[in-house]
Amino acid sequence: EMAKLHVRYMVGGRPSKPLQERLYSFEFPEAPGALLKFLQTLGTHWNISLFHYRSHGTDFGRVLAAFECSDRDASFAARLMELGYECHDESANPAFRFFLQG
């Protein structure tokens, strides 16, 4: 599903050095300030190494985002809860491992 929604539309290359990334899919509300809330909650604390947005004219947009952080970073999970957007950890997704991971 992730490959159909996001990966087939993405271009770029592999990073010059391996990154310690966590990949998440989000459902962004189609409302003013949704991106700003996301960036203020997560983007000022962790480097966003990948961001892809898809909208199909519904009540939410689909976002695929990767963050440079370790699996053991407990504060990241707390920030995700604070954000309040529906999200799923896609770090173990085969499409991520094959196409996107360095």
Side-chain angles (χ1 to χ4, degrees):
E1 187 68 14
M2 184 183 76
K4 288 191 292 184
L5 290 172
H6 295 285
V7 176
R8 72 180 180 157
Y9 297 102
M10 299 173 69
V11 296
R14 298 194 184 271
S16 59
K17 61 179 181 174
L19 302 174
Q20 190 169 13
E21 290 179 302
R22 292 174 69 183
L23 184 74
Y24 281 83
S25 60
F26 293 89
E27 290 185 1
F28 264 46
E30 289 290 340
L35 178 59
L36 181 61
K37 180 180 177 183
F38 175 84
L39 293 173
Q40 288 176 336
T41 305
L42 298 170
T44 57
H45 302 281
W46 296 274
N47 181 44
I48 299 171
S49 55
L50 178 148
F51 188 90
H52 187 256
Y53 175 83
R54 297 266 304 158
S55 177
H56 295 284
T58 60
D59 293 343
F60 61 91
R62 297 178 189 269
V63 170
L64 186 66
F67 304 88
E68 287 188 62
C69 67
S70 72
D71 293 340
R72 296 176 294 278
D73 192 343
S75 60
F76 185 75
R79 291 288 179 157
L80 285 176
M81 293 298 289
E82 180 184 324
L83 180 63
Y85 294 174
E86 179 76 27
C87 68
H88 302 281
D89 187 346
E90 301 283 358
S91 300
N93 188 302
F96 173 57
R97 304 186 116 181
F98 185 74
F99 293 109
L100 303 175
Q101 200 170 36

